[in-house]
Amino acid sequence: MKTSPELAKDLASLFQAHAGVTFPLCALAVLQEGRVIVNQAWGQCESLTASTETLFDIASLTKLFTTTAFLAFVSRGKLGLDDSLVSVLPGFGLTGSRAIEGGQDPHTLQRLGLDFSLQGQTVDPSSVTFRHLLTHTSGLPAWRDVYAVAGPVPMPPQLHQPLDGQARWATSLPTLYQYPFIDRPGRRVVYSDIGLMLLGHALEVISGVTLEQAIQAQVLDPLGLNRTLFNPVQKGWASLDQTAPTELDRRWRKRRVWGEVHDENACALGGVAGHAGLFSTAMDVAVFGQAWLSQPQKMGVDVTLAALAKSELACTDDVRRGLGFVIKSEHNASAGDHFSPQTFGHTGFTGTTLWVDPARQCVVACLTNGVYAGRAQHAPHAFRRRLHDLIAHSLVEI
């Protein structure tokens, strides 16, 4: 086991090797048995020097907060995992059986080819369950350009928005309800933003409040996460100099994305969606991970259901899924080679990760703005693996 000074030196060397190449800014929080082992930040970008208080766009880590709030309602018996999506969102089933198509590439926007074995098949939307959404086995597409139907391009976050999120969602839902499937539900794991967007909207219907309010009440307030929120700049809660800038969006917004969510679909829907939109600090994300490790009931999630959420329930090509959570892959995992097979967590496209290793009672939250130089140049995998292997060597199993 390495001493704290040795670990600090290794982390500084790792950051220096990746600064300006993999990301400009990085914040890291490491907990073991609830004790803070690391809470540090590195880098400079635009007018910002990274600190442990810097807000990062956590991208798809947002999915875990949505999942947690949803599972709290399952724990209360408000609905079951195997209830159909149409039981809460009947509009999802109005089309009747839908065709299976090839989906859409999020980078080129081109339509993708269809698996020949699925040609001519259809899916009844009423067969999609909440378990399917949570395990990414719904057969729904990974991505579609929802932002194209959600209204005009939003203004920068410091300026008044002519159309609010509620209106944007109302405009987009009919289209969101009708996208063709890309596979039969339950057949394989296909990571789907569309599925989590629908899960977030279903949570609003179940809870009777907005998604933002549901996550606040079920997750943020119980854990005291006062630096985790949607739309921090638009709300006046933070300045640009307190948030990490991300990509220069040449295609749609025609500006540097800064203080607003990087994901186009989440941005087009007012900055709040089940799949993306939250900003946070590394320590807040680590505290959230610690709650899932040791006290899920603080967030209203039953211990038995929480254990299920952190277990492998579906697997395709070494992509292992629990309820919302990714379970560490056996080969070439972003959590490295030395964290235990029970490790659970998630990654975010902007360059964020949360991994929790029950064997070491360890939580690692690493936030970066790796898409700053452009998504085509973004390649965080080697850094993520080296980081987690370094930490694994520093912390003994409990």
Side-chain angles (χ1 to χ4, degrees), residues 45-243:
C45 182
E46 302 284 347
S47 56
L48 174 65
T49 299
S51 81
T52 56
E53 297 297 295
T54 299
L55 294 177
F56 287 80
D57 175 351
I58 66 172
S60 284
L61 298 190
T62 302
K63 292 180 172 71
L64 299 181
F65 290 78
T66 302
T67 294
T68 301
F70 182 85
L71 292 178
F73 283 90
V74 176
S75 296
R76 293 183 207 166
K78 299 292 185 181
L79 75 166
L81 292 175
D82 295 311
D83 288 353
S84 67
L85 177 59
V86 298
S87 68
V88 176
L89 301 180
F92 181 70
L94 290 179
T95 60
S97 292
R98 300 212 286 267
I100 296 179
E101 296 185 0
Q104 185 179 20
D105 186 281
H107 304 304
T108 66
L109 305 187
Q110 297 299 309
R111 292 298 182 90
L112 302 173
L114 174 65
D115 181 340
F116 181 76
S117 67
L118 296 169
Q119 203 161 31
Q121 296 188 32
T122 61
V123 173
D124 180 353
S126 67
S127 66
V128 176
T129 67
F130 291 109
R131 187 187 298 268
H132 288 141
L133 296 182
L134 289 161
T135 57
H136 292 270
T137 58
S138 66
L140 288 165
W143 186 88
R144 291 297 298 266
D145 54 349
V146 182
Y147 70 91
V149 299
V153 177
M155 299 295 288
Q158 314 94 305
L159 303 180
H160 173 72
Q161 301 297 325
L163 197 62
D164 65 18
Q166 187 174 15
R168 288 176 172 278
W169 267 99
T171 300
S172 304
L173 272 173
T175 302
L176 196 60
Y177 283 159
Q178 296 177 35
Y179 287 128
F181 287 81
I182 62 166
D183 209 333
R184 298 191 305 273
R187 182 169 177 259
R188 63 187 172 116
V189 174
V190 176
Y191 182 67
S192 176
D193 278 1
I194 300 301
L196 263 291
M197 293 167 77
L198 290 167
L199 185 77
H201 183 55
L203 177 57
E204 293 186 318
V205 174
I206 295 160
S207 65
V209 297
T210 67
L211 174 62
E212 184 172 9
Q213 290 168 332
I215 290 174
Q216 188 73 44
Q218 294 297 146
V219 185
L220 306 184
D221 287 345
L223 299 184
L225 304 183
N226 57 16
R227 291 190 66 79
T228 303
L229 71 164
F230 294 96
N231 292 319
V233 174
Q234 184 178 317
K235 291 175 179 172
W237 195 90
S239 66
L240 290 182
D241 286 349
Q242 295 169 308
T243 64

Side-chain angles (χ1 to χ4, degrees), residues 319-338:
V319 178
R320 306 169 65 209
R321 284 280 171 182
L323 298 176
F325 285 103
V326 181
I327 314 301
K328 180 177 176 281
S329 299
E330 292 185 21
H331 307 288
N332 199 31
S334 70
D337 293 329
H338 302 292

Side-chain angles (χ1 to χ4, degrees), residues 11 37 43 51 68 86 92-93 164 247-248 255 282 330 340 346 382:
L11 289 173
I37 305 300
S51 81
T68 301
V86 298
F92 181 70
D164 65 18
E247 189 175 21
L248 176 59
R255 60 178 180 262
E330 292 185 21
S340 74
H346 213 285

Side-chain angles (χ1 to χ4, degrees), residues 27-40 52 58 61 64-65 223 225 227-228 280-295 299 344 353-357 361-367:
L28 175 68
V30 181
L31 308 180
Q32 187 173 39
E33 293 191 297
R35 295 182 298 109
V36 178
I37 305 300
V38 178
N39 185 25
Q40 201 167 351
T52 56
I58 66 172
L61 298 190
L64 299 181
F65 290 78
L223 299 184
L225 304 183
R227 291 190 66 79
T228 303
S280 190
T281 64
M283 183 54 70
D284 263 21
V285 172
V287 170
F288 171 75
Q290 181 66 41
W292 265 101
L293 177 63
S294 58
Q295 291 183 299
M299 303 174 290
F344 61 94
T353 54
L354 171 66
W355 288 111
V356 182
D357 183 358
Q361 290 289 293
C362 172
V363 179
V364 181
C366 182
L367 308 184

Side-chain angles (χ1 to χ4, degrees), residues 3-13 38 40 42 390:
T3 65
S4 293
E6 288 175 321
L7 177 57
K9 182 178 178 181
D10 286 345
L11 289 173
S13 297
V38 178
Q40 201 167 351
W42 300 266
L390 190 159

